[in-house]
Amino acid sequence: MKDYQLPQAPTRLALRDALRVRSAAFPWNRAIGSGLATCLPIVIGLLLGDIIHGFSAALGAFTFLYIGAETYKQRAKKLAAVAVCLTIAMVLGTLLAPYMFTLSIVAGVIGVIAFYVLNTFQLVIPGPMFFVLIFCLATGLPVDPQSAWERGFYVLLGGALSWLLAMASWIWAKKNHEKQVIIKSYRQLMAMLQSIGTTSFFQMQHLTVLTLKQADRIIYDSKRKPSTLRLHELATDIFHTMTQLKNANLTSEQLQAMETQLHAVIDAIEGAKGNWPAHNTSCESLKMLQLELEQAYTLASQEEAEAFTSVKTESAWRLLVSGISFTNLTVRHALFYGLFIMIASLLAHSLGFNRPYWVPVACAAVLIGANTTLTIHRAIQRSLGTIVGTVIGGLILSLEPSGYYLIAAVGILQLCVELSIVRNYVFANMFIAPLVLVIVETMNPGNAISYFVTARVVDTIFGSIIAIAAVLLLWRGIHSRFLPFLLKDSIQHMQELLHAIHTDKQERKQLKKLTNSLIGLRAAYERSLGDFSASQQQAEILWPAIMHAQHAGYLLMAFQKRKDKLSDGHYDALQNQLANVLTILNTKQPAALQAYHELNLQKELNQLQTVLAQLYMETNKTTLAPS
């Protein structure tokens, strides 16, 4: 255990971090765009003499918030789907407003579906809360089921306007998103290269995998030049080669030469002219990396026109269906999320709250937190921000703004929300609360300002308390309890990929399954660090095993391109090692080590076996098994 250096585990989350202000650049383009998307429907309504329906259409402006790093084709599909779903939420909320029990169940169902779909597609920002918000707001409007389709129509109009604004940048800024994501991938490869030989290597390796996975989604889901596709594939090859260099004992001069060549590749992709910095090396482990970098440079430097090509990818429906499993933590989290939205709604209506829809909305916003600490963070942030924000909203409403002054207030508040949310959720809620108060009061006039302000604060705090109680009772420690299961799942996927490589069958499918498994394992570990002390300690015990399993998995992936190195003897030895690891995980007892030393992958599996054997030799805690 002394022949390798394990990096320090990621630090735990602390409750005091709830009020920490992040240093992040202000997203001016997003803020201005969302402000315009919110204001324009109201302006049009004012000009047409129907500002109330203008505010209804403004609810569809939440569509704009779902723009992200994607091609314009992907953005068009995604935002259209979001606008339609927000419309459905408004229609259902209006139709079910008279039926307390039914609307509470449907609110929970909307939460489950939105959470699962958005997290499966990795659209965690801004998340599922806005679909719940639109549905709940509809139940708080004057009860009029006959107006359901009319209200939905105006929300759809607002969503359509947001779609146009989000797509309008194509006219003056035809960004080549494929090129941008390729540059991002190679810059992340540079960070990984510079981390070789340091304790940050595992972290850079993990970030590189996430970057390449994001690039997969953009590159493979659009038509692109063959050279772009090949550059992306080479980025993956370079990643696998760098993974093999972790224990190569490279000198600083050798690494500097590789950095120079990788810089030349990045410059060529960005369009800069230059010469290839040739470098001869006698190190066999670097020759493959040099060859791949030179191929990438050649592709990036060519200027001739190319025909666009496309690659068949897995459909969105297939991706959603394939992930439905009770062993999938995303599915469990979605069910948990929807269940307590439903419970919050039932409690709010049963206890006779003045504005009961704010309770499930607050619960939905807080439960987005991935673990106990983050949930408490969001509860604190939302409660404090709402208290301050309702005061601001009360002051704005006391001035009785109308016409363009009212529109200006809405636009400025929405602008401030997007500018402040990157720093701390507290600041965002200081503007979210008055923004929603102004919209709701305008759509539902006739109530005293104090009525809205008091209801908003009390309902938000109550909804936050429900969310905290839910996490403490049912969700605390679930990630740490599932870590052994996820680790075993990753080892089984390694066995399947090894068999696929050896038999030349379904390699791409098994490669994707293993990648997703390793990413999920690391994500579960990081989330477990936000649970309370016992669960955190339980997870930290498995940190060395998780790191070695991840690295072994990425080493195995390298064999997909270099099958000639995988002889029958190596195949049998690797399967024996993986089976031994599974035996240790299943029995929770140390087993006789099956050590092999010829390949880097074998050495990594030796270390994984040793770590697990020592773990179960020192402790036989059955709490490590998932419930």
Side-chain angles (χ1 to χ4, degrees), residues 23 134 149 157 466 572 574 578:
S23 57
I134 293 292
W149 300 108
L157 285 181
I466 292 174
D572 292 337
L574 289 169
L578 291 170

PDB file of all heavy atoms in Angstrom, residues 23 134 149 157 466 572 574 578:
ATOM      1  N   SER A  23     -17.555  33.340  -6.271  1.00  0.00           N
ATOM      2  CA  SER A  23     -16.967  34.286  -7.230  1.00  0.00           C
ATOM      3  C   SER A  23     -17.219  33.742  -8.626  1.00  0.00           C
ATOM      4  O   SER A  23     -16.552  32.828  -9.089  1.00  0.00           O
ATOM      5  CB  SER A  23     -15.463  34.431  -6.976  1.00  0.00           C
ATOM      6  OG  SER A  23     -14.829  33.179  -7.055  1.00  0.00           O
ATOM      7  N   ILE A 134     -45.670  26.469 -12.122  1.00  0.00           N
ATOM      8  CA  ILE A 134     -46.768  26.867 -13.011  1.00  0.00           C
ATOM      9  C   ILE A 134     -48.057  26.145 -12.636  1.00  0.00           C
ATOM     10  O   ILE A 134     -49.143  26.745 -12.581  1.00  0.00           O
ATOM     11  CB  ILE A 134     -46.399  26.566 -14.477  1.00  0.00           C
ATOM     12  CG1 ILE A 134     -45.247  27.460 -14.932  1.00  0.00           C
ATOM     13  CG2 ILE A 134     -47.604  26.771 -15.389  1.00  0.00           C
ATOM     14  CD1 ILE A 134     -45.587  28.916 -15.037  1.00  0.00           C
ATOM     15  N   TRP A 149     -58.049  26.289 -21.120  1.00  0.00           N
ATOM     16  CA  TRP A 149     -57.403  26.314 -22.428  1.00  0.00           C
ATOM     17  C   TRP A 149     -56.967  27.720 -22.812  1.00  0.00           C
ATOM     18  O   TRP A 149     -55.939  27.891 -23.489  1.00  0.00           O
ATOM     19  CB  TRP A 149     -58.350  25.733 -23.476  1.00  0.00           C
ATOM     20  CG  TRP A 149     -58.738  24.325 -23.168  1.00  0.00           C
ATOM     21  CD1 TRP A 149     -59.939  23.858 -22.726  1.00  0.00           C
ATOM     22  CD2 TRP A 149     -57.868  23.185 -23.231  1.00  0.00           C
ATOM     23  NE1 TRP A 149     -59.894  22.511 -22.503  1.00  0.00           N
ATOM     24  CE2 TRP A 149     -58.630  22.059 -22.819  1.00  0.00           C
ATOM     25  CE3 TRP A 149     -56.541  22.994 -23.593  1.00  0.00           C
ATOM     26  CZ2 TRP A 149     -58.112  20.768 -22.767  1.00  0.00           C
ATOM     27  CZ3 TRP A 149     -56.012  21.718 -23.545  1.00  0.00           C
ATOM     28  CH2 TRP A 149     -56.788  20.623 -23.139  1.00  0.00           C
ATOM     29  N   LEU A 157     -48.080  31.014 -25.837  1.00  0.00           N
ATOM     30  CA  LEU A 157     -47.622  32.178 -26.603  1.00  0.00           C
ATOM     31  C   LEU A 157     -46.352  32.768 -25.979  1.00  0.00           C
ATOM     32  O   LEU A 157     -45.403  33.131 -26.689  1.00  0.00           O
ATOM     33  CB  LEU A 157     -48.716  33.242 -26.649  1.00  0.00           C
ATOM     34  CG  LEU A 157     -49.905  32.987 -27.578  1.00  0.00           C
ATOM     35  CD1 LEU A 157     -50.880  34.160 -27.496  1.00  0.00           C
ATOM     36  CD2 LEU A 157     -49.427  32.792 -29.016  1.00  0.00           C
ATOM     37  N   ILE A 466     -40.998  21.148   5.730  1.00  0.00           N
ATOM     38  CA  ILE A 466     -41.421  19.829   5.234  1.00  0.00           C
ATOM     39  C   ILE A 466     -40.281  19.168   4.455  1.00  0.00           C
ATOM     40  O   ILE A 466     -40.008  17.971   4.608  1.00  0.00           O
ATOM     41  CB  ILE A 466     -42.674  19.960   4.338  1.00  0.00           C
ATOM     42  CG1 ILE A 466     -43.878  20.395   5.177  1.00  0.00           C
ATOM     43  CG2 ILE A 466     -42.971  18.649   3.624  1.00  0.00           C
ATOM     44  CD1 ILE A 466     -45.114  20.686   4.348  1.00  0.00           C
ATOM     45  N   ASP A 572      -8.103 -13.918 -19.203  1.00  0.00           N
ATOM     46  CA  ASP A 572      -8.430 -14.809 -18.088  1.00  0.00           C
ATOM     47  C   ASP A 572      -7.969 -14.234 -16.752  1.00  0.00           C
ATOM     48  O   ASP A 572      -8.694 -14.302 -15.749  1.00  0.00           O
ATOM     49  CB  ASP A 572      -7.780 -16.183 -18.308  1.00  0.00           C
ATOM     50  CG  ASP A 572      -8.395 -16.926 -19.490  1.00  0.00           C
ATOM     51  OD1 ASP A 572      -9.547 -16.614 -19.850  1.00  0.00           O
ATOM     52  OD2 ASP A 572      -7.710 -17.794 -20.061  1.00  0.00           O
ATOM     53  N   LEU A 574      -7.500 -11.046 -15.958  1.00  0.00           N
ATOM     54  CA  LEU A 574      -8.312  -9.893 -15.588  1.00  0.00           C
ATOM     55  C   LEU A 574      -9.695 -10.322 -15.103  1.00  0.00           C
ATOM     56  O   LEU A 574     -10.229  -9.768 -14.127  1.00  0.00           O
ATOM     57  CB  LEU A 574      -8.444  -8.942 -16.784  1.00  0.00           C
ATOM     58  CG  LEU A 574      -7.173  -8.174 -17.167  1.00  0.00           C
ATOM     59  CD1 LEU A 574      -7.352  -7.481 -18.517  1.00  0.00           C
ATOM     60  CD2 LEU A 574      -6.813  -7.152 -16.100  1.00  0.00           C
ATOM     61  N   LEU A 578     -11.295  -9.442 -11.424  1.00  0.00           N
ATOM     62  CA  LEU A 578     -12.600  -8.793 -11.263  1.00  0.00           C
ATOM     63  C   LEU A 578     -13.548  -9.681 -10.470  1.00  0.00           C
ATOM     64  O   LEU A 578     -14.317  -9.200  -9.619  1.00  0.00           O
ATOM     65  CB  LEU A 578     -13.190  -8.467 -12.636  1.00  0.00           C
ATOM     66  CG  LEU A 578     -12.469  -7.358 -13.423  1.00  0.00           C
ATOM     67  CD1 LEU A 578     -12.993  -7.300 -14.854  1.00  0.00           C
ATOM     68  CD2 LEU A 578     -12.645  -6.012 -12.741  1.00  0.00           C
TER      69      LEU A 578
END
